[in-house]
Amino acid sequence: MLKRRGPGARVAAVMTMGALHEGHASLIRAARAHVGRAGFVVATVFVNPLQFGAGEDLDRYPRTLEADLRTARDAGADTVFAPAVDEVYPGGDPQVTIAAGPMGGRLEGASRPGHFDGMLTVVAKLLHLTAPDAAFFGQKDAQQLALIRRMVRDLNFPVEIVGVPTVREDDGLALSSRNRYLTPADRRTALLLSRALFAARDRLAAQHALRARAASAPGSDARAAGLSALGEARLAADAHAVARAAGSGGAAASTGADAVRAAALAVLDVGERADPPLYLDYLALVDPADFTEVPDDFTGEAVLAVAARVGSTRLIDNIPLTFGATGR
């Protein structure tokens, strides 16, 4: 177990597989802010073989420890814990592991069988080895974060799990250690992932705005017909839309989760004809409690998650969405 700095100092951990970038640095800065100057921040660097399946990129996963040490130090870490595989798994693969349960078999778990069992096993071990009061994980890996929270709750780990918002490049691409595999052409196609998520977010915002207008100043089909007769096609279409929103119950009506999915898919469909093409693994609008698909009339917090392959690189991304009268 790592030695703490000073009696009673709060400890925060940031667990990574190395190849640190600004996203990891943001986690370390959040951890430092959480524990204060008197606290202790440990970053772990460990490429965990248990969470890589057959044919995945374990052997080529970037390993840049010297650069990682500088990044971690500059972001505010007090120490970096970078154990060897035989230190974490003495004697080979462990016979006792953590099972991710039903949530672990959905989306990423369905695409990468066993991935989440391996991830939870190493997170459990690192939580024991670093003994933090709080551990920080990126929201970019939303299903991972949800499973870690579930494990901590179900198994009574004495640690607070803190999610930190996704960090993006200026063009919207979510930061990932695997981005370095992308060629310039790959990257242009990869931008469709974030654009699809943003299109869905904008569609949801438009739905809420329309329903707010319907609730405050309902339109009518009669008004729309009158505008149409005057040749005001755009105003007539707008009046029809407001009238439909009012007639379906305004803000209390169906939130249109299916329309939000469709907005994202319309962007991703372009990827099939891109050069190089985007091969969609999944697009799912899910309840963050269990990562099951939400119905069209869903209200509350949701996660829109996407996974796709561009060239030889598999990328994931997601965005949180709030469905309801005042959500976005």
Side-chain angles (χ1 to χ4, degrees), residues 207-208 210-216 218 241-255 324-325:
Q207 289 180 177
H208 285 306
L210 181 62
R211 293 193 174 100
R213 287 178 56 201
S216 61
V242 174
R244 285 195 299 272
S248 63
S254 165
T255 54

Side-chain angles (χ1 to χ4, degrees), residues 14-32:
V14 174
M15 298 179 186
T16 82
M17 292 206 302
L20 301 189
H21 50 65
E22 177 57 25
H24 298 111
S26 73
L27 296 176
I28 296 170
R29 288 194 294 269
R32 169 56 63 203

